[in-house]
Amino acid sequence: MDLLGVLLWLCLPARWMAGAVTMTRKVTLVQRSLQNIVGSSPKIEVKSFENWAESLKEDVVFTASPKSVREIQRIVFAALLCRKNVRVVGSTHSWSSLFTDSEQIQINLGNMTLEGGKRVILQPGEYPGYRTVRIAPGVTVGELNDLIVPLGFTLRSGPSIKEATVLGAIATSSHGAMVNEPAIGGYMTGARFVDGWGKILAFNEDTDPEVLKALRCNLGLLGVVFEFELKIFPQEQVNSCGILTPLKTLFNPEFLRNAVSKNNFVLILSASYSSLTEKEARSVLETGKVPTTWDSGNDIVLINIVDPDATPDSLNTSDDPLPEDVTVVSTGQEFYKFIKGFPRALKGINLTDAIYLDTAVLGPKFLASEYTFPEKTDFKRSANALKEFSRFMNEKSHTEGILPFTRFVARWVKGTDCFLCPTSNPTSLKVAGDAGHFTTLGMDGVIDTLQEGPGFSYTMHKLVEAWDNLGLEGTLHWGKITEVTNFKEKIKTYFRHDLGFFENIRRKIDPHGVFMNDYLSYLYDAFNNVN
């Protein structure tokens, strides 16, 4: 048997080698085979994997940290020969199973740079209202802003977690709360990457608009991006205001319409159970159930608006006194302190400082999920969804006890020119009066909660069912997929023919599925069976 034959035999799946070697020995043999194909650099190591939230774990993965494009090519070629999947790992802030599998090859691109060792390079040429930058693959949202703010620019819309890599945020269609801005992938204008054959490809939005629509939410399926180009915008001076009001204020669609349509940025945050009285809290501790006297509509929400003309009086809200504290039965106790202490008015600050949160305020590691649906100009869909959320909280809390939700997050964003972005304006769900904007409703939950009832994923699944029953027909954030049993059918209904357009591009770039993983393979029934 020649060398290539030996390498291929050593890389055979475990089920083909049953009885030949132990699992530990098999992993060692595969590691050596991968290293022999890759060469001396980068090192192929065997490690365990755990995501940031400690909610996803794998005992065995092969890892590599390439420093050059050539090293990436060798890794992909080795994976192709050894029938291993390759997934790029960023800051591991994804809560879903998109980016991890046992015995896959995980590539960390944190060591990659552009020419001259630079991480970000401002491109020549000015365009109406923006410039572009070339970015190395491991750059985080916080790092990008740190590098472009001194140059007088900002990233208008990105995830609030600054530690997230920009590429990871693009891959999952992450977004901020700028009302008239798309998901972060909507700013991508070009990319260079290694495909499933180990070849270098390059695309830009002028000559390859369909490929860019796929790249703007690629789920890691379109190769290893080692350089990309993004739009950035001139820095702005804005006012930031924090307005506190009961959740039930948001049940009025006219209030929502005024808040969202008259401001550039609207972020709504609420700590669960903030309106529980001490008497009601004692009842929870004694009975395990929340008394029926409690109404989640009285929970306090923070409405953070950002705009050059924003003032604390921009919105007509209640002047009722706020609860002094949150009781110990609430997992949102610490977050409520942040809400109460949020500045009422900051004038003339940089947009960057106004729209990105300090991650520390989010507290300890948590679980997260997010539901997205198209909005009409009258905002009745948003108001109904918020009212249903309150009804759900009341019913479940009264019968099951404290739910595993720490906080609630609501945002509104513009549609994105993209195949798989939840904010991609799916043709199957266009509604009369659609303004090309979307509502995103998110729930966060601590991993170790005080209650002994149903867990976060199950409770979120039931909440999604309740929202679906309103006819919203939304979908979930790719990086925050919980155990929704009908998710495969949900994406098939939501994205329809865009799934087929994306799949046609993926097959050309990665015909052998080098960049696939088990969970995406499961979902791919929806991609391959679109009516």
Side-chain angles (χ1 to χ4, degrees), residues 206-442:
D206 293 329
T207 58
D208 314 286
E210 296 301 293
V211 177
L212 263 293
K213 288 173 71 173
L215 283 169
R216 287 173 181 144
C217 178
N218 58 71
L219 308 180
L221 290 170
L222 300 184
V224 181
V225 177
F226 58 85
E227 176 186 315
F228 63 105
E229 192 168 295
L230 206 67
K231 292 179 182 178
I232 57 173
F233 301 87
Q235 186 66 265
E236 300 176 55
Q237 300 301 300
V238 296
N239 298 339
S240 173
C241 301
I243 301 165
L244 300 176
T245 190
L247 174 63
K248 59 188 177 185
T249 305
L250 310 183
F251 301 166
N252 180 352
E254 186 64 18
F255 177 88
L256 290 176
R257 189 185 69 80
N258 287 334
V260 177
S261 63
K262 295 181 180 180
N263 293 284
N264 289 336
F265 174 100
V266 178
L267 172 65
I268 294 177
L269 300 169
S270 176
S272 301
Y273 302 104
S274 62
S275 61
L276 272 173
T277 65
E278 289 298 327
K279 181 179 179 180
E280 289 168 338
R282 285 196 299 271
S283 177
V284 173
L285 294 174
E286 292 169 0
T287 68
K289 305 291 190 298
V290 178
T292 56
T293 54
W294 174 79
D295 181 356
S296 70
N298 295 320
D299 279 358
I300 300 303
V301 300
L302 165 68
I303 306 176
N304 178 205
I305 58 174
V306 175
D307 192 84
D309 300 319
T311 69
D313 300 322
S314 296
L315 304 178
N316 184 20
T317 57
S318 170
D319 293 325
D320 293 342
L322 302 176
E324 287 301 316
D325 199 357
V326 181
T327 60
V328 293
V329 299
S330 171
T331 58
Q333 188 172 19
E334 290 301 315
F335 191 66
Y336 181 66
K337 295 177 182 178
F338 162 74
I339 286 177
K340 283 192 65 177
F342 195 89
R344 181 165 170 78
L346 295 173
K347 296 183 178 181
I349 63 174
N350 281 347
L351 178 65
T352 307
D353 296 329
I355 66 176
Y356 290 99
L357 289 174
D358 180 352
T359 310
V361 307
L362 298 177
K365 296 177 179 181
F366 56 91
L367 300 174
S369 191
E370 181 178 288
Y371 186 82
T372 300
F373 58 90
E375 183 52 282
K376 293 183 180 181
T377 54
D378 59 13
F379 282 82
K380 289 182 179 180
R381 290 160 68 86
S382 294
N384 287 338
L386 292 166
K387 189 181 298 183
E388 177 61 19
F389 164 68
S390 179
R391 185 207 64 78
F392 178 90
M393 288 290 291
N394 289 342
E395 177 185 301
K396 297 298 182 182
S397 298
H398 296 160
T399 58
E400 299 176 9
I402 296 293
L403 300 183
F405 292 155
T406 302
R407 57 183 158 260
F408 171 78
V409 184
R411 293 176 284 188
W412 288 265
V413 294
K414 186 180 177 181
T416 308
D417 189 17
C418 165
F419 289 132
L420 298 187
C421 295
T423 56
S424 62
N425 220 357
T427 55
S428 61
L429 290 179
K430 279 188 180 293
V431 290
D434 178 25
H437 285 73
F438 292 76
T439 304
T440 72
L441 305 178

Side-chain angles (χ1 to χ4, degrees), residues 50-68:
E50 186 174 73
N51 69 336
W52 171 83
E54 301 177 0
S55 59
L56 298 173
K57 300 179 182 181
E58 295 291 348
D59 291 334
V60 177
V61 294
F62 301 101
T63 67
S65 299
K67 296 181 180 179
S68 69

